[in-house]
């Protein structure tokens, strides 16, 4: 017997550059807000692989994970997000099919 999953697992990241700015993206899905890059974990993918892939896909930035800041759950949508902390290592800021804008903003942890 197969059961439908009760949760969707996603990974997102608070990624900073050497100046302490945090990377934020504006998606086409939610055009009125800036948010941390991230997305759904694909089957067979680790949480770490997922967040690194999502950050690069959405922003062009390759990140290094430095920690985990928390696990968050939206009970209405069934989404559970593991929030990573990381540093920008390489890449060039760019938009993607998912993002209409990508920009570093002043930030602090």
């Amino acid at each position: 017997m197969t059961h439908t999953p009760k949760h969707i697992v996603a990974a997102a990241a608070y990624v900073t550059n050497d100046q302490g700015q945090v990377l934020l993206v504006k998606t086409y899905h939610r055009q009125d807000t800036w948010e941390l890059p991230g997305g759904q974990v694909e089957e067979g993918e680790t949480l770490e692989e997922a967040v690194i892939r999502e950050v690069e896909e959405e922003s062009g930035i390759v990140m290094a994970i430095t920690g985990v800041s928390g696990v968050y759950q939206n009970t209405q949508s069934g989404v559970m997000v593991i929030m990573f902390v990381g540093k920008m290592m390489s890449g060039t800021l760019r938009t993607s099919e998912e993002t209409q804008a990508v920009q570093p903003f002043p930030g602090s942890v």
Side-chain angles (χ1 to χ4, degrees), residues 86-108:
K87 295 292 282 178
M88 294 180 197
M89 300 305 291
S90 63
T92 303
L93 287 176
R94 59 148 175 78
T95 58
S96 70
E97 293 178 1
E98 298 176 53
T99 56
Q100 60 178 320
V102 178
Q103 184 176 328
F105 285 87
S108 63

Side-chain angles (χ1 to χ4, degrees), residues 19-100:
Q19 293 77 40
Q21 297 171 311
V22 63
L23 176 65
L24 297 177
V25 299
K26 187 180 283 193
T27 68
Y28 290 104
H29 181 68
R30 288 178 295 279
Q31 298 182 26
D32 61 338
T33 184
W34 287 90
E35 56 194 60
L36 299 170
Q40 192 167 328
V41 178
E42 295 179 358
E43 190 172 335
E45 189 174 46
T46 68
L47 296 170
E48 294 88 350
E49 290 168 341
V51 74
I52 290 167
R53 174 186 53 78
E54 285 288 349
V55 168
E56 187 170 7
E57 281 179 2
E58 292 183 4
S59 69
I61 295 300
V62 176
M63 68 171 283
I65 297 170
T66 59
V68 175
S69 69
V71 178
Y72 307 93
Q73 181 180 13
N74 181 327
T75 56
Q76 292 180 344
S77 67
V79 176
M80 183 182 321
V81 179
I82 294 78
M83 184 64 64
F84 289 88
V85 177
K87 295 292 282 178
M88 294 180 197
M89 300 305 291
S90 63
T92 303
L93 287 176
R94 59 148 175 78
T95 58
S96 70
E97 293 178 1
E98 298 176 53
T99 56
Q100 60 178 320

